[in-house]
């Protein structure tokens, strides 16, 4: 691999991914709206695109080619189709950042529990997908567009909840801060379970999977999952403070419509290993507190 195009690359996992490629001496182009600055200087090439404007993609990619594209900013079926068409004949592999949300609510989902080849996508723009259910449909439809139409290998990386010291969403930090400061919070369904992955390991996985021969969907992440009740109890233990749970408290950003967790045995069988969830949470809780 000599060159990559990263749609995104200026925040969180994308920034880590860019740096991994730069460390390897691989030519990196990032394509964004140009609204977020980055610290890469002249080490990367930059393209300005709008995912909701197919003409901007065609213009930006004209007379260019890369070995692999990483699509980290696709949030609709229309965007997936437009990008695939704009990159036709210009790439050798498509790595799509998907989500465990493609699965029905439930736990320990294996990759075969959602088959994008059997899903009938409806072309929509990102504004037509509302809430978490809309997000689910968007990721399902985007996967279906790519797997059903691409003439090159496609990998759909179905990430669980990504956490890390650089997590700008501060969703895990929210829980640590509320427990530590004895501030009331509201957890609607404490028994719902979720999977997690460290942001550094997420970037390393993306980096490695494109260099492999693997194609298809895959679930990376810590092998365990956790209920929100277990998460709060773990934070209580680490902070030695009792959580204040109240229906009038600040709503948890993990108040999702149902459980979403994944079985990572396929990734493990391919030689990918991830930090245990207990260790990962302990490290982050200690960092935040």
């Amino acid at each position: 691999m000599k060159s990559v195009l990263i749609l995104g690359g200026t925040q969180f996992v994308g920034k880590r991914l860019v740096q991994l490629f730069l460390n390897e001496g691989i030519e990196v182009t990032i394509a964004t709206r140009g609204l977020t600055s980055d610290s890469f200087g002249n080490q990367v090439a930059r393209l300005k695109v709008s995912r909701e404007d197919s003409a901007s993609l065609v213009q930006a990619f004209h007379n260019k080619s890369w070995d692999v594209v990483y699509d980290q900013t696709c949030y609709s079926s229309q965007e997936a189709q437009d990008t695939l068409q704009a990159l036709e004949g210009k790439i050798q592999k498509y790595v799509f950042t998907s989500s465990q949300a493609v699965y029905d609510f439930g736990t320990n989902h294996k990759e075969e529990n959602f088959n994008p080849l059997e899903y009938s996508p409806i072309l929509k723009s990102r504004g037509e997908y509302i809430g978490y259910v809309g997000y689910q449909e968007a990721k399902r439809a985007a996967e279906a567009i790519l797997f059903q139409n691409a003439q090159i290998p496609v990998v759909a990386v179905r990430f669980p909840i990504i956490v890390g010291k650089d997590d700008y969403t501060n969703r895990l930090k929210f829980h640590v801060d509320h427990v530590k400061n004895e501030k009331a919070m509201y957890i609607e369904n404490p028994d719902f379970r979720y999977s997690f992955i460290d942001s550094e390991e997420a970037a390393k996985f993306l980096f490695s999977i494109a260099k492999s021969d693997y194609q298809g969907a895959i679930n990376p992440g810590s092998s365990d999952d956790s209920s929100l009740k277990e998460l709060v109890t773990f934070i209580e233990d680490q902070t030695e403070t009792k959580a204040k749970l109240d229906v009038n408290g600040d709503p948890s950003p993990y108040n999702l419509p149902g459980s979403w967790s994944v079985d990572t045995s396929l990734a493990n069988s391919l030689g990918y290993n991830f930090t245990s969830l207990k260790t990962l949470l302990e490290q982050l809780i200690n960092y935040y507190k």
Side-chain angles (χ1 to χ4, degrees), residues 1-5 20-22 24-29 43 65-70 92 207 210-211:
M1 187 190 313
K2 296 181 179 180
S3 63
V4 297
L5 168 65
L20 288 173
F21 280 116
L22 293 178
E24 290 265 321
I26 293 172
E27 178 186 310
V28 178
T29 300
Q43 297 179 90
S65 63
W66 301 270
D67 294 320
V68 178
V69 62
Y70 284 90
Q92 316 266 333
F207 176 77
K211 299 172 75 173

Side-chain angles (χ1 to χ4, degrees), residues 33-83:
R33 293 175 298 170
L35 302 179
T36 303
S37 61
D38 64 80
S39 59
F40 300 117
N42 59 8
Q43 297 179 90
V44 302
R46 295 174 184 79
L47 300 174
K48 188 173 181 178
V49 300
S50 169
R51 297 304 300 269
E52 299 179 89
D53 179 5
S54 60
S56 78
L57 301 174
V58 173
Q59 181 178 1
F61 303 153
H62 181 64
N63 285 337
K64 296 179 177 64
S65 63
W66 301 270
D67 294 320
V68 178
V69 62
Y70 284 90
D71 190 347
Q72 300 207 285
T73 58
C74 179
Y75 295 102
S76 79
S77 54
Q78 186 68 60
E79 291 169 21
Q81 177 167 287
D82 291 343
T83 305

Side-chain angles (χ1 to χ4, degrees), residues 36-281:
T36 303
S37 61
D38 64 80
S39 59
F40 300 117
N42 59 8
Q43 297 179 90
V44 302
R46 295 174 184 79
L47 300 174
K48 188 173 181 178
V49 300
S50 169
R51 297 304 300 269
E52 299 179 89
D53 179 5
S54 60
S56 78
L57 301 174
V58 173
Q59 181 178 1
F61 303 153
H62 181 64
N63 285 337
K64 296 179 177 64
S65 63
W66 301 270
D67 294 320
V68 178
V69 62
Y70 284 90
D71 190 347
Q72 300 207 285
T73 58
C74 179
Y75 295 102
S76 79
S77 54
Q78 186 68 60
E79 291 169 21
Q81 177 167 287
D82 291 343
T83 305
L84 188 62
Q85 291 176 346
L87 287 171
E88 185 175 2
K90 302 176 184 296
I91 55 172
Q92 316 266 333
K93 193 169 190 175
Y94 201 118
V95 180
F96 175 59
T97 294
S98 190
S99 167
Q100 65 181 4
V102 298
Y103 302 115
D104 290 331
F105 297 127
T107 58
N108 300 314
H109 280 291
K110 292 181 178 290
E111 286 78 4
E112 58 265 30
N113 289 6
F114 172 67
N115 185 349
L117 295 176
E118 297 177 352
Y119 187 83
S120 299
I122 299 172
L123 286 179
K124 295 182 180 181
S125 65
R126 65 173 61 188
E128 296 177 86
Y129 297 104
I130 307 300
Y132 284 107
V133 173
Y135 177 75
Q136 179 183 56
E137 181 191 352
K139 289 298 185 181
R140 285 176 168 178
E143 278 197 23
I145 292 289
L146 295 173
F147 281 112
Q148 293 175 23
N149 296 283
Q151 302 301 308
I152 54 171
V154 174
V155 181
V157 181
R158 294 172 177 170
F159 278 125
I161 296 172
I162 303 175
V163 292
K165 295 177 181 178
D166 54 343
D167 179 8
Y168 67 94
T169 71
N170 290 321
R171 291 184 295 177
L172 177 59
K173 184 177 184 294
F174 166 96
H175 297 82
V176 178
D177 286 347
H178 275 68
V179 174
K180 179 184 67 175
N181 298 321
E182 300 183 74
K183 189 175 181 181
M185 61 179 168
Y186 172 53
I187 295 179
E188 186 174 3
N189 295 288
D191 293 323
F192 283 176
R193 306 188 69 83
Y194 302 103
S195 290
F196 297 83
I197 188 172
D198 175 66
S199 59
E200 182 176 1
E201 292 179 347
K204 288 180 177 178
F205 182 79
L206 287 170
F207 176 77
S208 297
I209 200 69
K211 299 172 75 173
S212 75
D213 294 329
Y214 184 80
Q215 54 183 300
I218 191 164
N219 300 328
S222 298
S223 57
D224 314 303
D225 62 11
S226 174
S227 71
L228 297 185
K229 181 190 298 182
E230 291 166 351
L231 174 63
V232 170
T233 299
F234 195 55
I235 296 172
E236 289 177 325
D237 292 342
Q238 295 298 306
T239 60
E240 299 182 337
T241 306
K242 183 69 176 175
K244 293 185 65 175
L245 302 177
D246 190 291
V247 293
N248 296 313
D250 298 326
S252 163
Y254 290 155
N255 281 344
L256 305 179
S259 294
W260 268 322
S261 76
V262 293
D263 182 314
T264 62
S265 57
L266 173 59
N268 297 151
S269 73
L270 296 175
Y272 298 101
N273 296 300
F274 306 91
T275 301
S276 73
L277 184 55
K278 181 177 184 296
T279 300
L280 175 58
L281 291 177

